[in-house]
Amino acid sequence: MADVKKNKTCRGDFIDIPKTDIEACHTMESAVDHGIISAQKDTAPEKKKARPNDEIIRAEALAILMKTFEDDGAWAGYSYYYSANLPWDGHESGYRDIYYYGAEWQAEVFYAYVRKILHDDTQLHVNPWATVKATRRDVLEFAKNIMLYKEKQTHNITQ
């Protein structure tokens, strides 16, 4: 989705991916190099892990997919609603306060997805289950919506 090329060599950045696992090594290191996954900059090299065989939660899956395209900032003006007041109900609480998020970034990534990709404020009233394990269906639905958004943006630019 990000149209990046895999690295041709393996540096061995992660202790849980042997250099002999060429596919995993090239994939994970390429994802780090392109900012798609965290590089764990504050972690000692001998402790860095990619966790290639671990399960992933919905927020992590969506965050990875959202990083596959450049953010043009078009939704940034809605930060008031994210943190203080949803656009239609006059609450003092915002989107991040309504559902359980294990971390602030999880609320931010889902809010960006709803406002920028889906363009559907009614989805702000749907529990995103951010900390629940992602299913294949979840990941493919996120990817489909992001790809449709990218196609619309490309179509609008070329007209």
Side-chain angles (χ1 to χ4, degrees):
M1 284 179 60
D3 196 30
V4 297
K5 301 218 184 310
K6 281 188 189 177
N7 295 352
K8 300 214 185 282
T9 60
C10 179
R11 299 182 299 265
D13 292 353
F14 301 103
I15 62 167
D16 56 347
I17 302 179
K19 282 185 165 184
T20 55
D21 188 347
I22 295 169
E23 186 64 26
C25 190
H26 289 210
T27 299
M28 298 303 262
E29 289 182 4
S30 298
V32 167
D33 292 347
H34 289 85
I36 295 170
I37 63 171
S38 171
Q40 303 173 14
K41 293 176 184 153
D42 297 333
T43 304
E46 66 276 5
K47 293 185 178 182
K48 286 187 179 184
K49 290 185 176 182
R51 301 176 13 236
N53 300 311
D54 286 3
E55 294 174 334
I56 190 169
I57 63 172
R58 289 172 48 89
E60 290 172 313
L62 183 57
I64 289 168
L65 293 171
M66 290 288 285
K67 289 179 182 178
T68 64
F69 73 99
E70 288 189 37
D71 183 3
D72 62 10
W75 65 279
Y78 297 109
S79 62
Y80 169 74
Y81 300 117
Y82 159 72
S83 62
N85 186 13
L86 290 175
W88 59 88
D89 58 15
H91 286 235
E92 289 303 314
S93 61
Y95 181 62
R96 69 179 176 194
D97 304 313
I98 294 174
Y99 303 109
Y100 173 74
Y101 294 97
E104 183 86 3
W105 69 266
Q106 294 173 356
E108 290 174 3
V109 75
F110 272 97
Y111 189 79
Y113 176 71
V114 168
R115 296 305 303 256
K116 184 171 180 95
I117 304 300
L118 299 181
H119 296 278
D120 182 1
D121 285 348
T122 61
Q123 287 297 305
L124 295 174
H125 284 293
V126 176
N127 191 338
W129 301 106
T131 60
V132 172
K133 292 176 192 171
T135 63
R136 288 184 176 130
R137 181 180 182 166
D138 293 333
V139 174
L140 294 173
E141 184 72 17
F142 293 150
K144 177 193 79 167
N145 291 334
I146 291 168
M147 290 173 69
L148 288 172
Y149 173 82
K150 288 171 75 169
E151 286 175 20
K152 287 179 191 172
Q153 295 304 105
T154 302
H155 182 70
N156 290 338
I157 292 171
T158 58
Q159 286 186 345

